[in-house]
Amino acid sequence: MPVPTEELKLELVNAATGKPLGAGAAPGPDGTLVVRAAPDDGPSPERWQLAPVPTPHGGPSSDDRTYVIRNASSGKVLEGSATADRGVRQADPVAGRKSQQWRVVPVEGSAGLHFIEEVTAGDVLDLADPGPGKGEDAIRVVLREHDENAESQRWRLVPVEPERTSDPVLSWAPLSHWNGRRSWRLTRSTALRPAPGATPSFSDVLLVLDRFGSDRDAGGWTTAGAAHLPGGQPGGWAGVGARFLADTTGTGQADVVGLDSAKGAVTSPGRGDGTFDDERVLHRPVPSPSPEDLWTLADTTGNGRPDVVVLAVDGVRVSLRGEDGTFAPAGGEPALKAFGHGAAAGGWRVGEHPRFLVDTTGDGRLDVVGCHDDGLWVSLQDEDGTFAPLPEEPTLRAFGHGGKAGDWRVGEHPRFLVDTTGDGRLDVVGCHDDGVWVSLQDEDGTFTDPLYVLDDFGVDQGWSTVGEHPRFLARTTAGGTVDVVGFGPQGVVVSRGRGDGTFEPAELVLNDFGSAQGWSGDKHPRFLADVTGDGNPDVVGFGDEGVWVSHNRGDGRFERAQLVCRGFGYHEAAGGWRVDRHPRFLADVTGDGRVDIVGLGGPGVYLARNLHRRFRTR
C-alpha cells in the first residue's frame, strides 16, 4: 500500500503481533508507547496522521521524504528517545527537531508493510522484549538497528473507517395492535439521503425517456460484454448492443446513442433541457456487420463535427458528418485496411488488442493506434483526411499481447496514450504486473524503449484487474501535469506527474472508494469527473445507497465523500442498478456547463440534474 497523506487517520499495526501502536492502559508521564490489543469495551486504538516535513524549497521531498507522525486526537507526535533503552514516546511537537522526523520505507516484496525509520541514526521502530513474568499484553516500542528479517520491525498502515457526509432517512412503519387496529410510528431507516449543503447537489431522479432501457417495453437493451467506454464517460469504443452518450450534432451536448444489430446506430438527440427527442436512425450498419464491430463518434478532422468511426471486419471505416447533419453512406472502401477483426485487416480482437483514436502529434487530426500481439502500431492521418498504411514493422515492440512484446493483458494491464511531458505529443503509459511503464514520443514520431518509472498500480501491488481497480491518467490540479489516479485496494491513490514522463511515489489520498471500504467492480462504477465546473476532476462512485462524490480541493487532494444523489445505486431502495444492464454516465445534458447524472435503467433514461450553479450566490 502506498504511504497515506496527512489527512488520513491510521492505525499503526505491528506485523509480528497484529496489535496497534498506542499508549498503555495506564499512560505514563513520559508518554511511552506500546503495542497492545484494544479491549472490546474500551476506547478505540490510537489514530495517527502523517505530515510531510517541508524541504528548504517549501514542499515535501519526493524520493526521500520525511514525516512527522502525529496523534490525531492529542496532537502529540512520535519521538525517538536518547535514553539507554531507546524507548519511543509521544511528545509535544517542536519544529525542526530531528528526533520527531521519520521515513516510511516499504518492505521489499511485502505489499502493505513498512519500516518506520528515524532520520537521525537510521534506527527503526521495534518491540522490546517483554521480560520475565511481564507477559505480552503490552509491549514497549523501542528503536533498534535495522534488521531486514525482523518481523517485529514491520508495520502495517491501516486507514480507519472513511468519514462520509450523509443523513439517515426517517420513514413511517406500521404498528399492529391486539384489537386489530393499526397505527404508524416514525422509524430510522438504514437508507441514507443527501446531506444538506452537499457540493454538488443533484435533483431527484426523473424518468425522461421511455426508450433505451433493459425492460422489454423500453427496447430490451442489454450491455453485457458490449460496452468499451472508459470511466463511464462519453467517448471510447462500444460494441453492438451497447448504449452510451455522445455528441452527435457538434453542439457540445450529449445525446443517447444505441447500437442496434439490425438498424445500426440509433439516437435520441438531447433538447438541451435534460429531455430527449424520439428515437431515429443515426447511421446504417456497415457492410458485413459483425458482433465484433466497435463504434464511436469523434471529430476526426478537427472541423468541429463528429464523425462515425467503426472498427469493422475489413478495417477502419469513417463516415464524415456533412454540414447538413447527415453522415456519409456506410458502403465503399474502408478508410484504412487495418485494425479490423478480419484476417485481411490484421485479426484484431476485442479481448486482446486495445485500439485508440487519438491525436498523437498535436496537429488536430485523430490517428489510429493499436496494441497487437507484436507491439504498438500507429497510422497517422494526413492533411487530406487519409490514413497512412501500416508499415511492415510495428512502431514499438512493446505493450503487446504476445510474450515478446511484454505479455500485456486487456483485463489486467490498462494502457493509455497521454502527454506526460507537455510537448503536445502523446506518450504510451501502461500498468503491468510490476508497476508503471512509459514510452516517450520523440519529435520525429518514434517512441523510446519503455522505461520502468513506478513500482505501484500493478498486479503485484494488489491491483488485480481493470474492472476491480480502475486507473486513470488525469490532471488532478489546475495547470499541473498528468498524474496516475487509481481506485486501489485501500482507496484512491495518486502518483503526481513530474512533467518528464516519470511520477512521484504513490500516495493514498482518500481512504474510500476502495475494496477495503466495500466497493466492488461488479457492483459500483467509479471514475473521475469535474462535477462542480471548477476545472478539477472529482471522485465519483455509484455505491449501494446512491451517488457519492469526493470533491477535489484544487490541490489534488480530496474532501470526505458526500452522498449527493439518492438514486442510481445498487440497493433496491436506490433503484437496484446493475453494471451489466444499466450503464450510468456523467454528462452535461442541460447546457449549463456542469455534468448531470444520466442512467439507462430498466424503463428507460433517467436523469438527476446538477443543481450546484442554481444555488450559488453571486
Side-chain angles (χ1 to χ4, degrees):
M1 186 186 77
V3 176
T5 55
E6 67 273 17
E7 278 82 8
L8 302 189
K9 298 176 183 178
L10 314 162
E11 292 178 14
L12 303 182
V13 179
N14 184 264
T17 64
K19 299 176 180 179
L21 173 71
D30 59 352
T32 301
L33 295 172
V34 300
V35 295
R36 68 184 184 98
D40 294 337
D41 56 350
S44 300
E46 301 282 358
R47 297 176 175 183
W48 306 87
Q49 293 174 295
L50 303 185
V53 176
T55 65
H57 301 290
S61 57
S62 56
D63 297 327
D64 194 26
R65 63 183 61 192
T66 58
Y67 298 90
V68 172
I69 302 177
R70 179 182 296 112
N71 189 307
S73 298
S74 68
K76 293 183 179 294
V77 300
L78 202 67
E79 181 175 80
S81 172
T83 59
D85 65 357
R86 303 303 311 280
V88 176
R89 63 175 189 159
Q90 53 180 336
D92 292 328
V94 178
R97 180 175 287 182
K98 292 294 185 180
S99 60
Q100 295 181 352
Q101 298 179 12
W102 307 84
R103 296 186 183 94
V104 183
V105 183
V107 178
E108 186 175 353
S110 298
L113 296 179
H114 298 79
F115 298 109
I116 300 178
E117 176 186 88
E118 188 191 36
V119 299
T120 52
D123 293 332
V124 299
L125 293 191
D126 201 348
L127 302 183
D129 297 327
K134 293 186 178 181
E136 297 184 358
D137 290 340
I139 307 176
R140 293 180 64 245
V141 179
V142 298
L143 286 171
R144 281 188 177 153
E145 185 178 349
H146 175 239
D147 181 354
E148 187 70 31
N149 298 315
E151 190 178 11
S152 59
Q153 295 183 0
R154 302 180 179 191
W155 299 82
R156 191 177 303 277
L157 281 58
V158 181
V160 300
E161 287 297 316
E163 296 179 350
R164 293 173 171 173
T165 303
S166 59
D167 284 344
V169 171
L170 298 178
S171 58
W172 294 94
L175 183 63
S176 299
H177 300 282
W178 63 271
N179 58 1
R181 294 196 177 190
R182 302 184 73 189
S183 60
W184 298 83
R185 70 180 186 275
L186 196 62
T187 182
R188 190 186 185 98
S189 170
T190 57
L192 299 173
R193 67 182 179 190
T199 305
S201 295
F202 289 84
S203 71
D204 291 337
V205 179
L206 302 173
L207 178 65
V208 294
L209 182 66
D210 58 357
R211 301 296 300 162
F212 296 97
S214 58
D215 293 351
R216 182 181 298 275
D217 292 342
W221 291 80
T222 60
T223 58
H228 304 276
L229 302 172
Q233 299 305 300
W237 302 105
V240 175
R243 296 155 290 160
F244 55 96
L245 301 184
D247 177 11
T248 67
T249 60
T251 60
Q253 68 184 26
D255 309 312
V256 183
V257 179
L259 301 178
D260 186 273
S261 58
K263 299 179 182 178
V266 296
T267 183
S268 283
R271 298 188 179 115
D273 59 358
T275 63
F276 297 88
D277 286 330
D278 293 336
E279 177 184 314
R280 63 179 178 82
V281 175
L282 179 72
H283 190 277
R284 295 292 180 185
V286 297
S288 303
S290 166
E292 294 188 60
D293 293 345
L294 294 179
W295 293 61
T296 193
L297 280 94
D299 179 10
T300 62
T301 61
N303 63 5
R305 296 192 295 268
D307 310 308
V308 173
V309 183
V310 183
L311 302 178
V313 64
D314 52 359
V316 181
R317 289 186 164 271
V318 179
S319 295
L320 300 179
R321 186 179 189 274
E323 295 183 0
D324 60 354
T326 61
F327 291 89
E333 292 294 314
L336 178 63
K337 294 182 178 179
F339 297 104
H341 51 84
W348 294 72
R349 296 289 179 262
V350 171
E352 299 178 359
H353 309 131
R355 283 152 284 179
F356 308 87
L357 193 62
V358 289
D359 179 9
T360 61
T361 61
D363 61 3
R365 297 182 296 273
L366 299 186
D367 313 304
V368 186
V369 182
C371 300
H372 208 287
D373 291 338
D374 49 1
L376 185 80
W377 295 81
V378 179
S379 173
L380 300 179
Q381 185 182 176
D382 298 332
E383 292 183 3
D384 59 0
T386 61
F387 292 89
L390 294 187
E392 295 183 359
E393 298 291 330
T395 304
L396 179 66
R397 291 192 178 276
F399 299 101
H401 182 79
K404 293 183 179 180
D407 205 18
W408 292 73
R409 295 293 180 261
V410 167
E412 300 175 3
H413 307 135
R415 281 151 281 181
F416 310 87
L417 280 105
V418 293
D419 180 8
T420 64
T421 62
D423 61 3
R425 297 184 296 272
L426 300 189
D427 313 303
V428 186
V429 181
C431 302
H432 208 281
D433 290 342
D434 50 0
V436 179
W437 291 79
V438 175
S439 177
L440 301 179
Q441 184 182 176
D442 294 332
E443 293 182 1
D444 58 359
T446 61
F447 290 85
T448 62
D449 289 336
L451 178 67
Y452 181 57
V453 297
L454 188 64
D455 58 347
D456 211 323
F457 299 99
V459 175
D460 294 346
Q461 294 86 29
W463 302 73
S464 56
T465 64
V466 173
E468 191 63 33
H469 301 297
R471 279 145 279 181
F472 303 87
L473 272 291
R475 290 177 173 83
T476 62
T477 57
T481 57
V482 171
D483 308 316
V484 184
V485 185
F487 295 88
Q490 296 294 333
V492 181
V493 178
V494 174
S495 181
R496 317 286 177 188
R498 295 191 176 109
D500 59 358
T502 65
F503 299 89
E504 300 276 359
E507 292 182 324
L508 181 66
V509 299
L510 186 64
N511 61 322
D512 207 342
F513 299 98
S515 53
Q517 295 85 30
W519 294 78
S520 173
D522 60 356
K523 295 181 179 179
H524 310 127
R526 292 152 290 169
F527 39 85
L528 301 178
D530 177 14
V531 294
T532 60
D534 62 359
N536 298 313
D538 308 298
V539 177
V540 182
F542 291 84
D544 290 333
E545 310 89 350
V547 183
W548 293 86
V549 170
S550 180
H551 179 57
N552 190 327
R553 296 177 177 174
D555 59 356
R557 305 190 187 282
F558 298 88
E559 297 175 352
R560 62 181 179 176
Q562 298 175 326
L563 183 65
V564 299
C565 181
R566 184 75 175 85
F568 302 103
Y570 186 81
H571 285 169
E572 292 301 323
W577 292 73
R578 298 295 182 261
V579 168
D580 60 344
R581 299 197 301 273
H582 309 136
R584 283 151 281 179
F585 307 91
L586 290 174
D588 180 15
V589 297
T590 58
D592 63 358
R594 283 179 171 83
V595 294
D596 309 292
I597 305 173
V598 182
L600 309 182
V605 181
Y606 287 87
L607 169 69
R609 300 169 184 266
N610 191 326
L611 304 178
H612 181 57
R613 170 179 288 180
R614 185 174 302 175
F615 291 107
R616 293 186 65 186
T617 57
R618 296 185 181 274

